[in-house]
Amino acid sequence: QSVLTQPPSASGTPGQRVTISCSGSSSNIGSNTVHWYQQLPGTAPKLLIYSNNQRPSGVPDRFSGSKSGTSASLAISGLQSEDEADYYCAAWDDSLNGVVFGGGTKLTVL
Amino acid sequence: QVQLVQSGTEVKKPGASVKVSCKASGYTFTSYYMHWVRQAPGQGLEWMGVINPSGGSTGYAQKFQGRVTMTRDTSTTTVYMELSSLRSEDTAVYYCARSWDSGSAADYWGQGTLVTVPS
């Protein structure tokens, strides 16, 4: 059971906009920044969004992040087949004194 | 360019220990924290702990307290993660990943090391 809650799956057709939610509590998302990682099959995770809504260099602006209270969201617009991957949210937890991850969301591009 | 290169695949017997290395290059080794994250087959990411290569201080997830030890060698810019009393549930890919501080995002990841503990 993960500390952060994500839907196990999401899907969309090419060109569509999809969102993935991440729910936490006051000790993690409520008091710290949220980061999102993309993991393509058989590869290491890759940083997609940091500090709630910042994109590292090289990440397309189709990817965006937001946070409100104890929840966060990742939005992907103009969905492409290469976006098919697992997506994880993460945050520091002040009570656990460590990083907590969501369980991951498998995105399927139909 | 930043690179984190991990040691190779390990197969260990139950009860044994494993030590995985992560050699960092392309940046100032002591300026970034290093996390260890594992992923069991078909499962999600699980944070194990973090080390500050500057002073060597560590923080471990409660689940692994007493069983994990993270160390660093500044002369070779390498961090190590040793996990003891291995059991079949420890079969996973282990990743090192660097971050600016303990709570910031991990911007570079190693390629992963598969550790298999047959049951």
Side-chain angles (χ1 to χ4, degrees):
Chain A
Q1 193 109 3
S2 302
V3 174
L4 304 182
T5 302
Q6 297 180 235
S9 63
S11 63
T13 56
Q16 258 191 335
R17 181 178 188 270
V18 297
T19 62
I20 297 172
S21 62
C22 176
S23 176
S25 66
S26 58
S27 63
N28 43 65
I29 294 179
S31 50
N32 296 292
T33 57
V34 179
H35 319 302
W36 290 90
Y37 300 92
Q38 176 193 59
Q39 187 177 33
L40 299 171
T43 69
K46 168 193 167 186
L47 180 61
L48 199 62
I49 297 287
Y50 67 96
S51 298
N52 303 329
N53 55 16
Q54 302 299 302
R55 281 187 311 276
S57 173
V59 173
D61 59 6
R62 301 188 296 105
F63 295 91
S64 62
S66 64
K67 176 184 128 173
S68 178
T70 59
S71 294
S73 291
L74 172 71
I76 309 171
S77 59
L79 199 61
Q80 300 180 4
S81 58
E82 55 260 41
D83 298 334
E84 193 159 281
D86 293 325
Y87 293 85
Y88 294 90
C89 59
W92 184 263
D93 190 297
D94 292 333
S95 295
L96 297 174
N97 213 27
V99 175
V100 291
F101 284 97
T105 298
K106 184 175 183 61
L107 175 63
T108 301
V109 181
L110 302 170
Chain B
Q1 72 285 19
V2 175
Q3 281 194 301
L4 302 177
V5 179
Q6 299 183 222
S7 49
T9 299
E10 302 265 13
V11 180
K12 294 291 183 179
K13 293 183 178 179
S17 296
V18 68
K19 192 170 187 176
V20 180
S21 67
C22 170
K23 179 166 176 58
S25 62
Y27 70 97
T28 302
F29 179 66
T30 52
S31 294
Y32 289 80
Y33 287 64
M34 197 73 80
H35 300 258
W36 287 91
V37 176
R38 77 178 187 179
Q39 186 170 37
Q43 302 301 307
L45 303 175
E46 181 176 32
W47 185 78
M48 299 181 68
V50 62
I51 183 169
N52 180 351
S54 179
S57 60
T58 55
Y60 303 137
Q62 188 161 10
K63 174 177 179 177
F64 299 102
Q65 291 271 6
R67 236 181 18 114
V68 71
T69 303
M70 297 176 188
T71 56
R72 95 291 190 216
D73 182 338
T74 55
S75 68
T76 60
T77 64
T78 302
V79 295
Y80 300 91
M81 185 285 299
E82 184 171 21
L83 188 63
S84 62
S85 303
L86 290 169
R87 33 209 188 233
S88 58
E89 308 89 88
D90 294 317
T91 293
V93 176
Y94 290 76
Y95 295 102
C96 60
R98 75 158 204 184
S99 69
W100 179 250
D101 62 36
S102 57
S104 61
D107 59 355
Y108 283 91
W109 294 62
Q111 82 276 19
T113 296
L114 174 62
V115 176
T116 301
V117 186
S119 54

